[in-house]
């Protein structure tokens, strides 16, 4: 008396054990890049002294998968002495004060509406689409299979923000 | 046993016993047996077992055993079989001169053989509780004929039926007895290891399976069971030799090879200093599988995913506090190469199983990462359509 199917059963079981949690999310990589970039860029920017107390607010105008990924990435992080707080907006109308606003490519039509509020609040506007550097402070320009950095020097000045001189060495394009 | 010889021998014995002076009530029973009046004989012999002159005679109990055996044969009422064995046991105990114990034992063996056959039949019908009881009865009956009787196969099956009845302690007890009696079957180690595991004694389970593999090196099931336990225990580093052993036993088994590749990947996550070496080993295996089985979906998918995940890991490994933005932008170049390597495998996986959601997600991830928005959108649309269809 033998269980001929035991081998198949146990093999299937073992494969399930070892092969679990292998699925990926389509945007894992891009979201990891975005999270790293958004956090690392804060070290290159100087906000007015009036904005250096309380929470450091990161505003996100993007779909939920991006929001979730960035929320996870920013958990427990600080910028200087300020704790990072992530706020997700479904439209620009929901936008409140934030130190930094990331606008995803599929929300980029709303970017122009954010400019006046951003100027008033010294908000660093970050876009991610070709042609949007004119309306933002920084743009992650899709260039083939990677991103390149664009800086709008003029917007930095008019938004009351400063960036470290070294930032320009990372940029492909600096707009005056 | 030869029934004809047995009947002749018994008839001779009856004639012999009747010819000599015996207490009346026993003689009466013997005559009734000769006349084939077994039920009447039972009435007489039941009087004899309480009569002061006959109750302590081995012959009395022998007759009773014989009568009950016959009644069992005609009625199939197992209470007669039990009574027969009980009586014959008393007969043996009382038979200090060893006049009847040979006959007693023959009948017991005859009845026990029936029990054994019924146990096997019950086992085949998956009536495990009944089989368990019958094997035990068989063993106990045989122990009357020989107190040292220990058939390791029967003991194993008592353990096995207890195992199937989920009586863990009893199963372990009998399996251990069978092992001590050198029962030579890999299933013993497989089941015993499983029972120790169920009981929570994980180390003992592993030790038993190791012993089983040593004694039965060509039996793959034990190795696989041990592998599953080691995985559950998180002992990834101990798995490689076990799996290699299984692969040597079944060199054509693609699943085993794939499992080894996955285990290298798992270890790579835990053993950071050996990460590159382990990832390389896993990819070597996937590529070897694809050489012989180019249409193996899992090998294509896993290999594509392996390159994709390496890129994600590289991105995640950027230290936001220590590294500068230059490192972040630079790593993109290295990762593009990884995505390009991932792409053909993931595309192949998708072509092999166009409706597999995992490969669609993987593929869109790669296209997204290569900033190929058009292709990514195309794949995402397929995925959305598939999800809607499966709703």
């Amino acid at each position: 008396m033998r269980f001929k199917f035991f081998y198949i059963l146990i093999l299937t079981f073992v494969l399930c054990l070892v092969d679990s949690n292998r699925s990926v999310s389509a945007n894992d990589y891009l979201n990891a890049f975005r999270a790293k970039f958004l956090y690392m860029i804060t070290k290159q920017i100087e906000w007015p002294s009036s904005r250096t107390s309380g929470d450091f607010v990161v505003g996100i105008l993007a779909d939920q998968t991006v929001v979730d990924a960035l929320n996870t990435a920013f958990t427990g992080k600080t910028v200087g002495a300020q704790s990072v707080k992530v706020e997700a907006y479904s439209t620009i109308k929901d936008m409140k004060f934030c130190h930094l606003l990331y606008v995803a490519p599929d929300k980029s039509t709303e970017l122009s509406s954010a400019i006046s509020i951003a100027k008033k609040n010294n908000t660093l506007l970050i876009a991610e689409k070709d042609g949007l550097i004119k309306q933002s402070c920084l743009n992650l320009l899709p260039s083939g299979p990677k991103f390149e950095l664009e800086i709008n020097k003029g917007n930095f000045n008019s938004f009351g923000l400063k960036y470290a001189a070294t930032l320009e060495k990372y940029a492909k394009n600096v707009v005056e | 046993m030869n029934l004809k010889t047995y009947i002749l021998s018994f008839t001779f014995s009856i004639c012999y016993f009747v010819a000599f002076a015996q207490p009346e009530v026993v003689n009466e029973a013997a005559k009734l047996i000769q006349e084939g009046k077994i039920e009447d004989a039972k009435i007489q012999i039941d009087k004899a077992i309480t009569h002061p002159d006959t109750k302590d005679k081995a012959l009395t109990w022998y007759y009773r055993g014989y009568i009950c055996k016959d009644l069992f044969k005609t009625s199939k009422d197992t209470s007669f079989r039990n009574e027969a064995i009980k009586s014959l046991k008393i007969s043996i105990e009382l038979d200090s001169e060893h006049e009847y114990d040979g006959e007693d034992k023959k009948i017991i063996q005859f009845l026990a053989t029936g029990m054994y056959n019924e146990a096997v039949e019950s086992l085949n019908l998956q009536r495990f509780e009944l089989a368990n009881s019958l094997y035990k009865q068989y063993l106990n009956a045989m122990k009357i004929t020989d107190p040292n009787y220990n058939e390791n196969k029967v003991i194993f099956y008592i353990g096995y039926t207890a195992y199937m009845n989920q009586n863990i302690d009893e199963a372990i007890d009998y399996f251990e007895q069978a092992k001590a009696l050198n029962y030579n079957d890999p299933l013993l180690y497989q089941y015993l290891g499983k029972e120790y595991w169920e009981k929570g004694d994980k180390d003992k389970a592993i030790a038993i399976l190791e012993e089983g593999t040593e004694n039965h090196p060509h039996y793959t099931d034990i190795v696989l069971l041990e592998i599953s336990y080691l995985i559950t225990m998180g002992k990834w580093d101990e798995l490689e030799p076990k799996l290699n052993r299984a692969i040597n036993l079944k060199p054509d088994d693609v699943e085993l090879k794939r499992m080894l590749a996955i285990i290298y990947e798992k270890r790579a996550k835990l053993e950071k200093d050996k990460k590159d070496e382990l990832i390389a080993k896993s990819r070597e295996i996937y590529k070897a599988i694809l050489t012989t089985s180019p249409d193996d979906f899992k090998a294509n998918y896993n290999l594509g995913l392996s390159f994709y995940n390496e890129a994600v890991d590289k991105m995640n490994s950027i230290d936001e506090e220590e590294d500068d933005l230059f490192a972040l932008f630079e790593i993109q170049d290295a990762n593009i190469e990884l995505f390009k390597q991932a792409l053909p495998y993931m595309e192949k996986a998708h072509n092999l199983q166009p409706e597999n959601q995992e490969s669609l997600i993987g593929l869109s991830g790669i296209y997204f990462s290569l900033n190929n928005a058009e292709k990514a959108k195309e794949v995402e649309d397929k995925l959305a359509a598939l999800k809607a269809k499966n709703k």
Side-chain angles (χ1 to χ4, degrees):
Chain A
M1 175 207 48
R2 302 261 168 184
F3 287 141
K4 289 180 182 172
F5 297 115
F6 183 81
Y7 175 77
I8 296 164
L9 276 176
I10 190 73
L11 188 60
T12 309
F13 172 69
V14 177
L15 270 169
C16 285
L17 271 181
V18 296
D19 211 11
S20 57
N21 301 320
R22 289 180 64 79
S23 57
V24 292
S25 161
N27 283 313
D28 278 355
Y29 177 75
L30 290 183
N31 287 337
F33 176 84
R34 287 170 182 135
K36 298 282 175 191
F37 174 77
L38 292 181
Y39 183 66
M40 290 167 87
I41 199 70
T42 60
K43 295 170 195 265
Q44 306 284 328
I45 311 296
E46 191 184 321
W47 275 266
S49 55
S50 58
R51 304 293 186 195
T52 54
S53 57
D55 288 334
F56 185 91
V57 183
V58 175
I60 302 168
L61 188 61
D63 68 30
Q64 197 56 42
T65 57
V66 180
V67 172
D68 291 343
L70 297 183
N71 227 334
T72 306
F74 281 116
T75 300
K77 291 266 191 325
T78 56
V79 173
Q82 296 172 277
S83 298
V84 175
K85 182 182 164 194
V86 173
E87 282 189 358
Y89 310 124
S90 41
T91 77
I92 211 71
K93 287 176 190 163
D94 301 333
M95 181 184 167
K96 294 170 192 162
F97 168 77
C98 53
H99 290 81
L100 175 163
L101 178 70
Y102 165 75
V103 182
D106 57 342
K107 302 278 186 181
S108 56
T109 51
E110 298 196 47
L111 186 63
S112 56
S113 313
I115 294 174
S116 59
I117 313 167
K119 269 186 187 172
K120 194 174 73 182
N121 290 339
N122 312 111
T123 298
L124 177 71
L125 276 184
I126 301 176
E128 190 191 303
K129 197 172 184 181
D130 191 10
L132 290 187
I133 187 57
K134 287 176 187 166
Q135 298 168 62
S136 55
C137 301
L138 297 171
N139 186 33
L140 287 169
L141 176 70
S143 171
K146 61 180 192 174
F147 290 112
E148 290 181 318
L149 183 63
E150 291 185 305
I151 302 172
N152 187 325
K153 213 171 180 175
N155 279 349
F156 262 95
N157 291 332
S158 59
F159 284 39
L161 299 166
K162 290 178 185 169
Y163 59 81
T166 50
L167 188 61
E168 287 190 9
K169 78 178 179 187
Y170 307 121
K172 187 201 175 196
N173 185 22
V174 180
V175 178
E176 289 296 327
Chain B
M1 130 169 258
N2 186 328
L3 191 61
K4 205 171 176 182
T5 313
Y6 173 73
I7 291 166
L8 284 172
S9 153
F10 182 77
T11 309
F12 173 78
S13 305
I14 294 285
C15 295
Y16 170 82
F17 297 138
V18 171
F20 290 83
Q22 295 296 332
E24 189 55 33
V25 70
V26 175
N27 274 341
E28 184 59 27
K31 276 182 196 165
L32 289 165
I33 293 171
Q34 269 187 310
E35 291 164 11
K37 297 175 178 171
I38 299 298
E39 280 167 11
D40 294 338
K42 173 75 168 38
I43 294 166
Q44 288 304 311
I45 206 70
D46 279 351
K47 287 178 191 165
I49 60 168
T50 54
H51 193 283
D53 293 341
T54 51
K55 71 181 174 64
D56 296 325
K57 302 282 184 192
L59 180 64
T60 308
W61 290 97
Y62 165 71
Y63 278 150
R64 189 166 189 274
Y66 182 89
I67 292 163
C68 288
K69 179 265 299 175
D70 261 13
L71 287 170
F72 165 69
K73 277 173 70 180
T74 51
S75 69
K76 299 294 171 200
D77 181 345
T78 53
S79 66
F80 286 124
R81 178 165 66 189
N82 296 340
E83 280 301 305
I85 290 172
K86 206 191 289 177
S87 300
L88 294 163
K89 183 173 183 268
I90 295 170
S91 174
I92 291 169
E93 286 164 359
L94 293 172
D95 188 16
S96 54
E97 299 298 318
H98 300 290
E99 288 178 82
Y100 316 109
D101 66 353
E103 293 300 320
D104 287 327
K105 287 175 185 176
K106 277 181 192 168
I107 302 177
I108 290 174
Q109 281 166 356
F110 170 76
L111 293 171
T113 303
M115 286 172 174
Y116 183 85
N117 292 337
E118 285 172 34
V120 172
E121 198 181 334
S122 302
L123 187 65
N124 290 338
L125 293 169
Q126 302 193 358
R127 297 175 67 188
F128 298 115
E129 206 169 333
L130 180 59
N132 180 274
S133 165
L134 285 163
Y135 276 124
K136 282 180 187 163
Q137 288 178 53
Y138 167 77
L139 193 65
N140 289 335
M142 292 305 287
K143 275 183 186 290
I144 298 169
T145 67
D146 175 7
N148 295 320
Y149 180 86
N150 258 329
E151 194 179 337
N152 57 17
K153 185 179 175 185
V154 174
I155 291 169
F156 168 75
Y157 278 114
I158 296 174
Y160 174 72
T161 47
Y163 162 87
M164 294 306 286
N165 283 327
Q166 300 181 339
N167 293 331
I168 296 178
D169 289 332
E170 186 188 330
I172 288 176
D173 181 21
Y174 280 96
F175 284 146
E176 285 287 10
Q177 285 185 51
K179 190 159 82 74
L181 291 166
N182 301 316
Y183 183 65
N184 189 30
D185 189 325
L187 287 175
L188 169 68
Y189 295 95
Q190 185 178 316
Y191 297 146
L192 184 56
K194 213 159 177 268
E195 290 299 63
Y196 275 122
W197 182 266
E198 293 286 321
K199 208 180 171 188
D201 194 343
K202 297 179 178 180
D203 292 336
K204 185 75 182 170
I206 296 293
I208 289 290
L209 295 172
E210 280 284 317
E211 194 182 333
T213 307
E214 211 163 283
N215 293 339
H216 300 277
H218 300 292
Y219 191 72
T220 331
D221 291 6
I222 301 179
V223 186
L224 276 179
L225 190 60
E226 188 180 354
I227 288 167
S228 74
Y229 291 162
L230 289 171
I231 291 169
T232 311
M233 291 165 86
K235 293 188 172 179
W236 299 98
D237 54 332
E238 292 179 25
L239 290 165
E240 187 179 347
K242 318 281 176 208
L243 259 173
N244 277 326
R245 189 187 289 162
I247 290 168
N248 285 336
L249 292 171
K250 291 184 183 283
D252 296 330
D253 193 322
V254 171
E255 303 275 289
L256 288 173
K257 289 176 188 165
R258 189 148 45 76
M259 198 187 296
L260 182 59
I262 296 167
I263 283 161
Y264 282 135
E265 288 176 334
K266 294 271 180 187
R267 280 182 59 195
K269 284 184 185 167
L270 303 168
E271 299 168 45
K272 301 286 180 198
D273 52 329
K274 291 183 184 168
K275 188 179 172 183
D276 291 345
E277 179 197 334
L278 292 164
I279 290 288
K281 278 184 173 184
S282 76
R283 287 180 188 161
E284 252 173 56
I285 295 171
Y286 287 134
K287 285 177 181 172
I289 293 171
L290 292 174
T291 307
T292 51
S293 314
D295 291 343
D296 185 290
F297 169 80
K298 277 281 184 182
N300 276 295
Y301 173 77
N302 287 0
L303 189 52
L305 199 59
S306 167
F307 288 114
Y308 177 84
N309 282 341
E310 187 183 343
V312 177
D313 287 348
K314 273 190 196 299
M315 182 57 71
N316 283 327
S317 71
I318 292 279
D319 188 330
E320 296 148 335
E321 306 298 340
E322 297 296 325
D323 294 326
D324 60 15
L325 276 171
F326 183 73
L328 182 67
F329 282 100
E330 196 183 39
I331 209 163
Q332 293 185 102
D333 292 320
N335 284 345
I336 287 163
E337 288 311 308
L338 290 168
F339 292 129
K340 284 180 179 170
Q341 288 186 75
L343 188 59
Y345 297 111
M346 201 56 87
E347 280 180 330
K348 180 73 186 274
H350 171 59
N351 290 336
L352 289 167
Q353 290 187 17
E355 299 211 335
N356 182 287
Q357 295 195 16
E358 294 299 314
S359 62
L360 278 169
I361 294 169
L363 197 54
S364 70
I366 293 167
Y367 284 137
F368 266 122
S369 307
L370 288 170
N371 268 335
N372 189 338
E374 195 183 327
K375 280 275 191 184
K377 174 82 172 47
E378 194 183 302
V379 174
E380 286 216 318
D381 288 347
K382 275 187 195 173
L383 189 62
L386 198 62
K387 281 180 180 170
K389 184 180 150 190
N390 294 339
K391 254 186 185 175

